[in-house]
PDB file of all heavy atoms in Angstrom:
ATOM      1  N   GLU A  19      -8.987  17.385  15.821  1.00 51.00           N
ATOM      2  CA  GLU A  19      -8.373  18.664  15.480  1.00 51.00           C
ATOM      3  C   GLU A  19      -6.927  18.754  15.946  1.00 51.00           C
ATOM      4  O   GLU A  19      -6.095  19.378  15.299  1.00 51.00           O
ATOM      5  CB  GLU A  19      -9.182  19.834  16.072  1.00 51.00           C
ATOM      6  CG  GLU A  19     -10.534  20.024  15.441  1.00 51.00           C
ATOM      7  CD  GLU A  19     -11.599  19.126  16.053  1.00 51.00           C
ATOM      8  OE1 GLU A  19     -11.398  18.570  17.162  1.00 51.00           O
ATOM      9  OE2 GLU A  19     -12.637  18.951  15.415  1.00 51.00           O
ATOM     10  N   TRP A  20      -6.605  18.144  17.072  1.00 43.00           N
ATOM     11  CA  TRP A  20      -5.244  18.211  17.607  1.00 43.00           C
ATOM     12  C   TRP A  20      -4.240  17.580  16.656  1.00 43.00           C
ATOM     13  O   TRP A  20      -3.074  17.952  16.653  1.00 43.00           O
ATOM     14  CB  TRP A  20      -5.162  17.571  18.984  1.00 43.00           C
ATOM     15  CG  TRP A  20      -5.433  16.093  18.980  1.00 43.00           C
ATOM     16  CD1 TRP A  20      -6.630  15.478  19.078  1.00 43.00           C
ATOM     17  CD2 TRP A  20      -4.464  15.051  18.848  1.00 43.00           C
ATOM     18  NE1 TRP A  20      -6.491  14.122  19.008  1.00 43.00           N
ATOM     19  CE2 TRP A  20      -5.162  13.830  18.868  1.00 43.00           C
ATOM     20  CE3 TRP A  20      -3.084  15.020  18.708  1.00 43.00           C
ATOM     21  CZ2 TRP A  20      -4.523  12.596  18.766  1.00 43.00           C
ATOM     22  CZ3 TRP A  20      -2.462  13.797  18.604  1.00 43.00           C
ATOM     23  CH2 TRP A  20      -3.180  12.599  18.636  1.00 43.00           C
ATOM     24  N   LEU A  21      -4.685  16.667  15.798  1.00 45.00           N
ATOM     25  CA  LEU A  21      -3.775  16.038  14.839  1.00 45.00           C
ATOM     26  C   LEU A  21      -3.389  16.973  13.700  1.00 45.00           C
ATOM     27  O   LEU A  21      -2.371  16.773  13.044  1.00 45.00           O
ATOM     28  CB  LEU A  21      -4.422  14.785  14.234  1.00 45.00           C
ATOM     29  CG  LEU A  21      -4.442  13.544  15.099  1.00 45.00           C
ATOM     30  CD1 LEU A  21      -5.249  12.458  14.413  1.00 45.00           C
ATOM     31  CD2 LEU A  21      -3.050  13.067  15.414  1.00 45.00           C
ATOM     32  N   ALA A  22      -4.177  17.986  13.471  1.00 47.00           N
ATOM     33  CA  ALA A  22      -3.937  18.869  12.329  1.00 47.00           C
ATOM     34  C   ALA A  22      -2.550  19.493  12.361  1.00 47.00           C
ATOM     35  O   ALA A  22      -1.952  19.746  11.320  1.00 47.00           O
ATOM     36  CB  ALA A  22      -5.002  19.950  12.273  1.00 47.00           C
ATOM     37  N   GLY A  23      -2.017  19.722  13.530  1.00 48.00           N
ATOM     38  CA  GLY A  23      -0.687  20.309  13.647  1.00 48.00           C
ATOM     39  C   GLY A  23       0.423  19.399  13.173  1.00 48.00           C
ATOM     40  O   GLY A  23       1.533  19.851  12.902  1.00 48.00           O
ATOM     41  N   TYR A  24       0.146  18.106  13.048  1.00 45.00           N
ATOM     42  CA  TYR A  24       1.157  17.146  12.616  1.00 45.00           C
ATOM     43  C   TYR A  24       1.098  16.853  11.118  1.00 45.00           C
ATOM     44  O   TYR A  24       2.027  16.306  10.560  1.00 45.00           O
ATOM     45  CB  TYR A  24       1.004  15.826  13.379  1.00 45.00           C
ATOM     46  CG  TYR A  24       1.287  15.969  14.845  1.00 45.00           C
ATOM     47  CD1 TYR A  24       0.251  16.049  15.762  1.00 45.00           C
ATOM     48  CD2 TYR A  24       2.588  16.033  15.303  1.00 45.00           C
ATOM     49  CE1 TYR A  24       0.512  16.192  17.111  1.00 45.00           C
ATOM     50  CE2 TYR A  24       2.858  16.182  16.663  1.00 45.00           C
ATOM     51  CZ  TYR A  24       1.813  16.255  17.557  1.00 45.00           C
ATOM     52  OH  TYR A  24       2.067  16.402  18.880  1.00 45.00           O
ATOM     53  N   ALA A  25       0.018  17.186  10.480  1.00 46.00           N
ATOM     54  CA  ALA A  25      -0.157  16.853   9.068  1.00 46.00           C
ATOM     55  C   ALA A  25       0.611  17.827   8.183  1.00 46.00           C
ATOM     56  O   ALA A  25       0.721  19.000   8.490  1.00 46.00           O
ATOM     57  CB  ALA A  25      -1.640  16.894   8.702  1.00 46.00           C
ATOM     58  N   SER A  26       1.144  17.307   7.099  1.00 47.00           N
ATOM     59  CA  SER A  26       1.799  18.159   6.115  1.00 47.00           C
ATOM     60  C   SER A  26       0.734  18.977   5.396  1.00 47.00           C
ATOM     61  O   SER A  26      -0.257  18.421   4.931  1.00 47.00           O
ATOM     62  CB  SER A  26       2.558  17.308   5.104  1.00 47.00           C
ATOM     63  OG  SER A  26       2.930  18.096   4.004  1.00 47.00           O
ATOM     64  N   PRO A  27       0.916  20.298   5.265  1.00 51.00           N
ATOM     65  CA  PRO A  27      -0.084  21.098   4.568  1.00 51.00           C
ATOM     66  C   PRO A  27      -0.050  20.893   3.054  1.00 51.00           C
ATOM     67  O   PRO A  27      -0.965  21.288   2.359  1.00 51.00           O
ATOM     68  CB  PRO A  27       0.308  22.527   4.927  1.00 51.00           C
ATOM     69  CG  PRO A  27       1.770  22.456   5.211  1.00 51.00           C
ATOM     70  CD  PRO A  27       2.005  21.085   5.793  1.00 51.00           C
ATOM     71  N   LYS A  28       1.005  20.264   2.522  1.00 59.00           N
ATOM     72  CA  LYS A  28       1.173  20.139   1.076  1.00 59.00           C
ATOM     73  C   LYS A  28       0.704  18.809   0.508  1.00 59.00           C
ATOM     74  O   LYS A  28       0.599  18.669  -0.693  1.00 59.00           O
ATOM     75  CB  LYS A  28       2.642  20.335   0.717  1.00 59.00           C
ATOM     76  CG  LYS A  28       3.141  21.716   1.061  1.00 59.00           C
ATOM     77  CD  LYS A  28       4.598  21.853   0.727  1.00 59.00           C
ATOM     78  CE  LYS A  28       5.106  23.225   1.140  1.00 59.00           C
ATOM     79  NZ  LYS A  28       6.515  23.377   0.958  1.00 59.00           N
ATOM     80  N   ALA A  29       0.466  17.809   1.329  1.00 71.00           N
ATOM     81  CA  ALA A  29       0.113  16.493   0.799  1.00 71.00           C
ATOM     82  C   ALA A  29      -1.008  15.876   1.619  1.00 71.00           C
ATOM     83  O   ALA A  29      -1.129  16.128   2.800  1.00 71.00           O
ATOM     84  CB  ALA A  29       1.332  15.575   0.829  1.00 71.00           C
ATOM     85  N   ARG A  30      -1.795  15.074   0.945  1.00 94.00           N
ATOM     86  CA  ARG A  30      -2.760  14.221   1.633  1.00 94.00           C
ATOM     87  C   ARG A  30      -2.151  12.839   1.667  1.00 94.00           C
ATOM     88  O   ARG A  30      -1.479  12.422   0.724  1.00 94.00           O
ATOM     89  CB  ARG A  30      -4.076  14.173   0.861  1.00 94.00           C
ATOM     90  CG  ARG A  30      -4.891  15.439   1.048  1.00 94.00           C
ATOM     91  CD  ARG A  30      -6.298  15.265   0.575  1.00 94.00           C
ATOM     92  NE  ARG A  30      -7.020  14.328   1.424  1.00 94.00           N
ATOM     93  CZ  ARG A  30      -8.258  13.930   1.172  1.00 94.00           C
ATOM     94  NH1 ARG A  30      -8.892  14.340   0.115  1.00 94.00           N
ATOM     95  NH2 ARG A  30      -8.862  13.088   1.971  1.00 94.00           N
ATOM     96  N   TYR A  31      -2.385  12.127   2.716  1.00 97.00           N
ATOM     97  CA  TYR A  31      -1.830  10.791   2.861  1.00 97.00           C
ATOM     98  C   TYR A  31      -2.953   9.767   2.922  1.00 97.00           C
ATOM     99  O   TYR A  31      -4.031  10.031   3.451  1.00 97.00           O
ATOM    100  CB  TYR A  31      -0.954  10.703   4.108  1.00 97.00           C
ATOM    101  CG  TYR A  31       0.243  11.595   4.015  1.00 97.00           C
ATOM    102  CD1 TYR A  31       0.257  12.846   4.625  1.00 97.00           C
ATOM    103  CD2 TYR A  31       1.361  11.209   3.288  1.00 97.00           C
ATOM    104  CE1 TYR A  31       1.361  13.673   4.515  1.00 97.00           C
ATOM    105  CE2 TYR A  31       2.470  12.042   3.177  1.00 97.00           C
ATOM    106  CZ  TYR A  31       2.459  13.277   3.797  1.00 97.00           C
ATOM    107  OH  TYR A  31       3.547  14.093   3.684  1.00 97.00           O
ATOM    108  N   TYR A  32      -2.641   8.610   2.366  1.00 98.00           N
ATOM    109  CA  TYR A  32      -3.589   7.497   2.336  1.00 98.00           C
ATOM    110  C   TYR A  32      -2.877   6.242   2.831  1.00 98.00           C
ATOM    111  O   TYR A  32      -1.691   6.042   2.559  1.00 98.00           O
ATOM    112  CB  TYR A  32      -4.085   7.255   0.909  1.00 98.00           C
ATOM    113  CG  TYR A  32      -4.917   8.386   0.366  1.00 98.00           C
ATOM    114  CD1 TYR A  32      -4.318   9.526  -0.147  1.00 98.00           C
ATOM    115  CD2 TYR A  32      -6.303   8.317   0.392  1.00 98.00           C
ATOM    116  CE1 TYR A  32      -5.084  10.583  -0.627  1.00 98.00           C
ATOM    117  CE2 TYR A  32      -7.072   9.371  -0.099  1.00 98.00           C
ATOM    118  CZ  TYR A  32      -6.450  10.496  -0.601  1.00 98.00           C
ATOM    119  OH  TYR A  32      -7.204  11.540  -1.073  1.00 98.00           O
ATOM    120  N   VAL A  33      -3.625   5.407   3.526  1.00 98.00           N
ATOM    121  CA  VAL A  33      -3.117   4.089   3.872  1.00 98.00           C
ATOM    122  C   VAL A  33      -3.678   3.134   2.821  1.00 98.00           C
ATOM    123  O   VAL A  33      -4.869   3.174   2.497  1.00 98.00           O
ATOM    124  CB  VAL A  33      -3.504   3.664   5.310  1.00 98.00           C
ATOM    125  CG1 VAL A  33      -5.002   3.604   5.515  1.00 98.00           C
ATOM    126  CG2 VAL A  33      -2.857   2.333   5.670  1.00 98.00           C
ATOM    127  N   CYS A  34      -2.799   2.329   2.259  1.00 98.00           N
ATOM    128  CA  CYS A  34      -3.178   1.360   1.231  1.00 98.00           C
ATOM    129  C   CYS A  34      -2.870  -0.035   1.751  1.00 98.00           C
ATOM    130  O   CYS A  34      -1.764  -0.295   2.230  1.00 98.00           O
ATOM    131  CB  CYS A  34      -2.398   1.610  -0.058  1.00 98.00           C
ATOM    132  SG  CYS A  34      -2.699   3.217  -0.788  1.00 98.00           S
ATOM    133  N   ARG A  35      -3.831  -0.896   1.625  1.00 98.00           N
ATOM    134  CA  ARG A  35      -3.678  -2.269   2.095  1.00 98.00           C
ATOM    135  C   ARG A  35      -3.842  -3.201   0.902  1.00 98.00           C
ATOM    136  O   ARG A  35      -4.910  -3.240   0.282  1.00 98.00           O
ATOM    137  CB  ARG A  35      -4.739  -2.548   3.162  1.00 98.00           C
ATOM    138  CG  ARG A  35      -4.629  -3.886   3.796  1.00 98.00           C
ATOM    139  CD  ARG A  35      -5.636  -4.013   4.928  1.00 98.00           C
ATOM    140  NE  ARG A  35      -5.643  -5.379   5.398  1.00 98.00           N
ATOM    141  CZ  ARG A  35      -6.647  -5.959   6.014  1.00 98.00           C
ATOM    142  NH1 ARG A  35      -7.741  -5.277   6.267  1.00 98.00           N
ATOM    143  NH2 ARG A  35      -6.568  -7.201   6.391  1.00 98.00           N
ATOM    144  N   LEU A  36      -2.765  -3.929   0.568  1.00 98.00           N
ATOM    145  CA  LEU A  36      -2.822  -4.898  -0.527  1.00 98.00           C
ATOM    146  C   LEU A  36      -3.266  -6.236   0.047  1.00 98.00           C
ATOM    147  O   LEU A  36      -2.576  -6.838   0.881  1.00 98.00           O
ATOM    148  CB  LEU A  36      -1.458  -5.049  -1.200  1.00 98.00           C
ATOM    149  CG  LEU A  36      -1.411  -6.063  -2.340  1.00 98.00           C
ATOM    150  CD1 LEU A  36      -2.266  -5.600  -3.519  1.00 98.00           C
ATOM    151  CD2 LEU A  36       0.023  -6.321  -2.781  1.00 98.00           C
ATOM    152  N   ILE A  37      -4.402  -6.699  -0.414  1.00 98.00           N
ATOM    153  CA  ILE A  37      -4.968  -7.966   0.042  1.00 98.00           C
ATOM    154  C   ILE A  37      -4.572  -9.036  -0.978  1.00 98.00           C
ATOM    155  O   ILE A  37      -4.877  -8.921  -2.162  1.00 98.00           O
ATOM    156  CB  ILE A  37      -6.507  -7.892   0.139  1.00 98.00           C
ATOM    157  CG1 ILE A  37      -6.957  -6.657   0.932  1.00 98.00           C
ATOM    158  CG2 ILE A  37      -7.061  -9.191   0.720  1.00 98.00           C
ATOM    159  CD1 ILE A  37      -6.466  -6.579   2.344  1.00 98.00           C
ATOM    160  N   PRO A  38      -3.889 -10.093  -0.510  1.00 98.00           N
ATOM    161  CA  PRO A  38      -3.481 -11.157  -1.436  1.00 98.00           C
ATOM    162  C   PRO A  38      -4.643 -12.099  -1.756  1.00 98.00           C
ATOM    163  O   PRO A  38      -5.690 -12.050  -1.109  1.00 98.00           O
ATOM    164  CB  PRO A  38      -2.386 -11.880  -0.653  1.00 98.00           C
ATOM    165  CG  PRO A  38      -2.749 -11.681   0.776  1.00 98.00           C
ATOM    166  CD  PRO A  38      -3.405 -10.324   0.851  1.00 98.00           C
ATOM    167  N   PRO A  39      -4.439 -12.964  -2.726  1.00 97.00           N
ATOM    168  CA  PRO A  39      -5.513 -13.879  -3.122  1.00 97.00           C
ATOM    169  C   PRO A  39      -5.898 -14.898  -2.051  1.00 97.00           C
ATOM    170  O   PRO A  39      -6.980 -15.477  -2.111  1.00 97.00           O
ATOM    171  CB  PRO A  39      -4.970 -14.566  -4.372  1.00 97.00           C
ATOM    172  CG  PRO A  39      -3.503 -14.307  -4.389  1.00 97.00           C
ATOM    173  CD  PRO A  39      -3.259 -13.086  -3.578  1.00 97.00           C
ATOM    174  N   ARG A  40      -5.015 -15.101  -1.059  1.00 96.00           N
ATOM    175  CA  ARG A  40      -5.343 -16.000   0.060  1.00 96.00           C
ATOM    176  C   ARG A  40      -4.526 -15.570   1.282  1.00 96.00           C
ATOM    177  O   ARG A  40      -3.406 -15.065   1.139  1.00 96.00           O
ATOM    178  CB  ARG A  40      -5.093 -17.463  -0.296  1.00 96.00           C
ATOM    179  CG  ARG A  40      -3.677 -17.768  -0.621  1.00 96.00           C
ATOM    180  CD  ARG A  40      -3.468 -19.192  -1.168  1.00 96.00           C
ATOM    181  NE  ARG A  40      -2.062 -19.340  -1.474  1.00 96.00           N
ATOM    182  CZ  ARG A  40      -1.442 -18.751  -2.495  1.00 96.00           C
ATOM    183  NH1 ARG A  40      -2.126 -18.002  -3.332  1.00 96.00           N
ATOM    184  NH2 ARG A  40      -0.151 -18.920  -2.680  1.00 96.00           N
ATOM    185  N   PRO A  41      -5.063 -15.777   2.478  1.00 95.00           N
ATOM    186  CA  PRO A  41      -4.394 -15.320   3.700  1.00 95.00           C
ATOM    187  C   PRO A  41      -3.050 -15.991   3.972  1.00 95.00           C
ATOM    188  O   PRO A  41      -2.185 -15.413   4.621  1.00 95.00           O
ATOM    189  CB  PRO A  41      -5.381 -15.658   4.820  1.00 95.00           C
ATOM    190  CG  PRO A  41      -6.679 -15.935   4.155  1.00 95.00           C
ATOM    191  CD  PRO A  41      -6.381 -16.334   2.739  1.00 95.00           C
ATOM    192  N   SER A  42      -2.844 -17.177   3.461  1.00 96.00           N
ATOM    193  CA  SER A  42      -1.633 -17.955   3.750  1.00 96.00           C
ATOM    194  C   SER A  42      -0.477 -17.692   2.791  1.00 96.00           C
ATOM    195  O   SER A  42       0.533 -18.400   2.818  1.00 96.00           O
ATOM    196  CB  SER A  42      -1.971 -19.452   3.703  1.00 96.00           C
ATOM    197  OG  SER A  42      -2.437 -19.803   2.407  1.00 96.00           O
ATOM    198  N   ILE A  43      -0.570 -16.664   1.986  1.00 96.00           N
ATOM    199  CA  ILE A  43       0.402 -16.451   0.904  1.00 96.00           C
ATOM    200  C   ILE A  43       1.847 -16.368   1.388  1.00 96.00           C
ATOM    201  O   ILE A  43       2.760 -16.809   0.693  1.00 96.00           O
ATOM    202  CB  ILE A  43       0.033 -15.221   0.042  1.00 96.00           C
ATOM    203  CG1 ILE A  43       0.803 -15.268  -1.279  1.00 96.00           C
ATOM    204  CG2 ILE A  43       0.263 -13.931   0.813  1.00 96.00           C
ATOM    205  CD1 ILE A  43       0.264 -14.340  -2.341  1.00 96.00           C
ATOM    206  N   MET A  44       2.095 -15.848   2.579  1.00 94.00           N
ATOM    207  CA  MET A  44       3.478 -15.756   3.058  1.00 94.00           C
ATOM    208  C   MET A  44       4.080 -17.138   3.298  1.00 94.00           C
ATOM    209  O   MET A  44       5.286 -17.319   3.166  1.00 94.00           O
ATOM    210  CB  MET A  44       3.560 -14.907   4.331  1.00 94.00           C
ATOM    211  CG  MET A  44       3.355 -13.425   4.047  1.00 94.00           C
ATOM    212  SD  MET A  44       3.456 -12.397   5.521  1.00 94.00           S
ATOM    213  CE  MET A  44       5.228 -12.142   5.604  1.00 94.00           C
ATOM    214  N   ALA A  45       3.250 -18.112   3.606  1.00 95.00           N
ATOM    215  CA  ALA A  45       3.728 -19.465   3.888  1.00 95.00           C
ATOM    216  C   ALA A  45       3.753 -20.357   2.650  1.00 95.00           C
ATOM    217  O   ALA A  45       4.549 -21.299   2.589  1.00 95.00           O
ATOM    218  CB  ALA A  45       2.856 -20.108   4.960  1.00 95.00           C
ATOM    219  N   ASP A  46       2.899 -20.067   1.676  1.00 97.00           N
ATOM    220  CA  ASP A  46       2.785 -20.984   0.537  1.00 97.00           C
ATOM    221  C   ASP A  46       2.834 -20.288  -0.816  1.00 97.00           C
ATOM    222  O   ASP A  46       2.228 -20.728  -1.788  1.00 97.00           O
ATOM    223  CB  ASP A  46       1.507 -21.819   0.661  1.00 97.00           C
ATOM    224  CG  ASP A  46       0.239 -20.976   0.683  1.00 97.00           C
ATOM    225  OD1 ASP A  46       0.291 -19.756   0.414  1.00 97.00           O
ATOM    226  OD2 ASP A  46      -0.838 -21.552   0.975  1.00 97.00           O
ATOM    227  N   MET A  47       3.610 -19.197  -0.899  1.00 96.00           N
ATOM    228  CA  MET A  47       3.739 -18.443  -2.145  1.00 96.00           C
ATOM    229  C   MET A  47       4.328 -19.314  -3.246  1.00 96.00           C
ATOM    230  O   MET A  47       5.320 -20.007  -3.041  1.00 96.00           O
ATOM    231  CB  MET A  47       4.642 -17.222  -1.892  1.00 96.00           C
ATOM    232  CG  MET A  47       4.637 -16.213  -3.003  1.00 96.00           C
ATOM    233  SD  MET A  47       5.682 -14.776  -2.641  1.00 96.00           S
ATOM    234  CE  MET A  47       4.938 -14.135  -1.162  1.00 96.00           C
ATOM    235  N   THR A  48       3.721 -19.259  -4.417  1.00 97.00           N
ATOM    236  CA  THR A  48       4.230 -20.018  -5.556  1.00 97.00           C
ATOM    237  C   THR A  48       5.397 -19.262  -6.196  1.00 97.00           C
ATOM    238  O   THR A  48       5.616 -18.069  -5.930  1.00 97.00           O
ATOM    239  CB  THR A  48       3.134 -20.208  -6.617  1.00 97.00           C
ATOM    240  OG1 THR A  48       2.822 -18.938  -7.199  1.00 97.00           O
ATOM    241  CG2 THR A  48       1.882 -20.856  -6.035  1.00 97.00           C
ATOM    242  N   ALA A  49       6.119 -19.935  -7.067  1.00 97.00           N
ATOM    243  CA  ALA A  49       7.230 -19.291  -7.774  1.00 97.00           C
ATOM    244  C   ALA A  49       6.730 -18.117  -8.612  1.00 97.00           C
ATOM    245  O   ALA A  49       7.372 -17.058  -8.656  1.00 97.00           O
ATOM    246  CB  ALA A  49       7.956 -20.319  -8.649  1.00 97.00           C
ATOM    247  N   ASP A  50       5.584 -18.283  -9.276  1.00 96.00           N
ATOM    248  CA  ASP A  50       5.013 -17.189 -10.071  1.00 96.00           C
ATOM    249  C   ASP A  50       4.640 -15.998  -9.187  1.00 96.00           C
ATOM    250  O   ASP A  50       4.854 -14.842  -9.559  1.00 96.00           O
ATOM    251  CB  ASP A  50       3.779 -17.662 -10.839  1.00 96.00           C
ATOM    252  CG  ASP A  50       4.116 -18.573 -11.999  1.00 96.00           C
ATOM    253  OD1 ASP A  50       5.296 -18.596 -12.422  1.00 96.00           O
ATOM    254  OD2 ASP A  50       3.206 -19.266 -12.484  1.00 96.00           O
ATOM    255  N   GLU A  51       4.081 -16.282  -8.014  1.00 97.00           N
ATOM    256  CA  GLU A  51       3.716 -15.204  -7.087  1.00 97.00           C
ATOM    257  C   GLU A  51       4.960 -14.484  -6.561  1.00 97.00           C
ATOM    258  O   GLU A  51       4.931 -13.270  -6.351  1.00 97.00           O
ATOM    259  CB  GLU A  51       2.885 -15.749  -5.927  1.00 97.00           C
ATOM    260  CG  GLU A  51       1.479 -16.136  -6.352  1.00 97.00           C
ATOM    261  CD  GLU A  51       0.714 -16.911  -5.305  1.00 97.00           C
ATOM    262  OE1 GLU A  51       1.351 -17.572  -4.447  1.00 97.00           O
ATOM    263  OE2 GLU A  51      -0.529 -16.878  -5.352  1.00 97.00           O
ATOM    264  N   ARG A  52       6.058 -15.207  -6.382  1.00 97.00           N
ATOM    265  CA  ARG A  52       7.306 -14.559  -5.955  1.00 97.00           C
ATOM    266  C   ARG A  52       7.785 -13.541  -6.994  1.00 97.00           C
ATOM    267  O   ARG A  52       8.255 -12.469  -6.650  1.00 97.00           O
ATOM    268  CB  ARG A  52       8.394 -15.596  -5.699  1.00 97.00           C
ATOM    269  CG  ARG A  52       8.313 -16.234  -4.357  1.00 97.00           C
ATOM    270  CD  ARG A  52       9.560 -17.095  -4.062  1.00 97.00           C
ATOM    271  NE  ARG A  52       9.325 -17.834  -2.845  1.00 97.00           N
ATOM    272  CZ  ARG A  52       8.698 -18.990  -2.757  1.00 97.00           C
ATOM    273  NH1 ARG A  52       8.248 -19.584  -3.846  1.00 97.00           N
ATOM    274  NH2 ARG A  52       8.514 -19.581  -1.596  1.00 97.00           N
ATOM    275  N   VAL A  53       7.659 -13.900  -8.252  1.00 98.00           N
ATOM    276  CA  VAL A  53       8.036 -12.982  -9.328  1.00 98.00           C
ATOM    277  C   VAL A  53       7.150 -11.735  -9.273  1.00 98.00           C
ATOM    278  O   VAL A  53       7.635 -10.600  -9.369  1.00 98.00           O
ATOM    279  CB  VAL A  53       7.934 -13.677 -10.707  1.00 98.00           C
ATOM    280  CG1 VAL A  53       8.085 -12.679 -11.846  1.00 98.00           C
ATOM    281  CG2 VAL A  53       8.973 -14.782 -10.814  1.00 98.00           C
ATOM    282  N   VAL A  54       5.848 -11.933  -9.091  1.00 98.00           N
ATOM    283  CA  VAL A  54       4.906 -10.810  -8.995  1.00 98.00           C
ATOM    284  C   VAL A  54       5.232  -9.951  -7.778  1.00 98.00           C
ATOM    285  O   VAL A  54       5.265  -8.714  -7.868  1.00 98.00           O
ATOM    286  CB  VAL A  54       3.443 -11.313  -8.924  1.00 98.00           C
ATOM    287  CG1 VAL A  54       2.487 -10.194  -8.559  1.00 98.00           C
ATOM    288  CG2 VAL A  54       3.039 -11.968 -10.239  1.00 98.00           C
TER     289      VAL A  54
END
Side-chain angles (χ1 to χ4, degrees):
E19 292 84 16
W20 65 273
L21 283 174
Y24 294 101
S26 167
K28 297 178 183 175
R30 284 194 68 185
Y31 296 99
Y32 294 81
V33 60
C34 298
R35 184 175 172 204
L36 179 66
I37 310 300
R40 62 188 178 288
S42 61
I43 196 165
M44 288 180 85
D46 60 10
M47 192 179 300
T48 68
D50 288 343
E51 288 169 335
R52 278 189 188 85
V53 170
V54 169

